[in-house]
Amino acid sequence: NSNNAAGRPNKISILLWHDTPHAAWTWLEQIGRNIWDGAEFQWKQGHIIDAIPREPDPVGGKIEFVEQSHHGHEAWTVGVREADSGAMGMYINLQDNTNLHKHETCVGKVIDGFDALQRLLEVARSQRFENNTPIVVRKATAMHVTKKEGV
């Protein structure tokens, strides 16, 4: 996370689905404990941008089971999974990956920050072929927005 040309921090906003409460809550708890600060993004196989925390969660927070959302792993949705290291990983789908990730939980979708996501992808794609500094989440934050009546 760095500043863009206007001097504002790069920020990607994600709306979490209501029908995946275990995965969403596990992720929110980790964000609250700063587990995701310092996580590194990587461009994977051209169809996702992937992030895994640098350090394991000392509490051991992980996805205990796969929740099936009414939403598929379509472009710009966000999935969580257990990484090879045993840590909880998250990724942003860059295309419809419903068939590739049907055994992983889709927890939400990107709703704002597409300019920051585009810059992230440009840097990640160039780093796939060069040995550059990793793309790091400076600070992960979460906020609760209540649903307004009639919306």
Side-chain angles (χ1 to χ4, degrees), residues 92-149:
I92 300 172
N93 290 292
L94 304 177
Q95 64 186 30
D96 186 343
N97 291 318
T98 301
N99 290 332
L100 295 172
H101 298 283
K102 58 184 154 192
H103 299 294
E104 296 171 355
T105 302
C106 185
V107 294
K109 70 176 180 176
V110 174
I111 58 169
D112 192 29
F114 289 97
D115 54 339
L117 184 56
Q118 181 63 38
R119 286 190 299 279
L120 175 71
L121 287 169
E122 289 169 4
V123 172
R125 286 178 180 145
S126 71
Q127 288 182 354
R128 183 175 177 148
F129 302 105
E130 302 170 9
N131 191 6
N132 292 333
T133 306
I135 305 165
V136 176
V137 175
R138 183 177 298 158
K139 178 75 179 158
T141 59
M143 60 184 263
H144 176 74
V145 179
T146 57
K147 183 177 179 182
K148 294 181 182 177
E149 207 168 311

Side-chain angles (χ1 to χ4, degrees), residues 8-150:
R8 294 184 316 232
N10 291 318
K11 179 174 81 172
I12 299 171
S13 297
I14 299 167
L15 173 69
L16 299 177
W17 305 133
H18 71 280
D19 59 355
T20 56
H22 168 67
W25 186 255
T26 301
W27 194 23
L28 289 172
E29 283 184 326
Q30 287 186 346
I31 290 169
R33 291 193 312 274
N34 302 315
I35 301 300
W36 286 89
D37 296 354
E40 294 183 10
F41 277 105
Q42 295 180 351
W43 185 49
K44 297 280 187 151
Q45 300 127 9
H47 68 277
I48 64 171
I49 186 101
D50 190 46
I52 299 172
R54 278 190 183 177
E55 301 294 326
D57 185 349
V59 177
K62 64 180 189 173
I63 303 299
E64 299 292 335
F65 54 90
V66 175
E67 293 172 288
Q68 295 300 318
S69 173
H70 295 292
H71 307 277
H73 288 272
E74 299 166 356
W76 314 122
T77 57
V78 177
V80 294
R81 61 175 174 70
E82 186 172 331
D84 294 338
S85 66
M88 184 173 134
M90 66 79 66
Y91 54 91
I92 300 172
N93 290 292
L94 304 177
Q95 64 186 30
D96 186 343
N97 291 318
T98 301
N99 290 332
L100 295 172
H101 298 283
K102 58 184 154 192
H103 299 294
E104 296 171 355
T105 302
C106 185
V107 294
K109 70 176 180 176
V110 174
I111 58 169
D112 192 29
F114 289 97
D115 54 339
L117 184 56
Q118 181 63 38
R119 286 190 299 279
L120 175 71
L121 287 169
E122 289 169 4
V123 172
R125 286 178 180 145
S126 71
Q127 288 182 354
R128 183 175 177 148
F129 302 105
E130 302 170 9
N131 191 6
N132 292 333
T133 306
I135 305 165
V136 176
V137 175
R138 183 177 298 158
K139 178 75 179 158
T141 59
M143 60 184 263
H144 176 74
V145 179
T146 57
K147 183 177 179 182
K148 294 181 182 177
E149 207 168 311

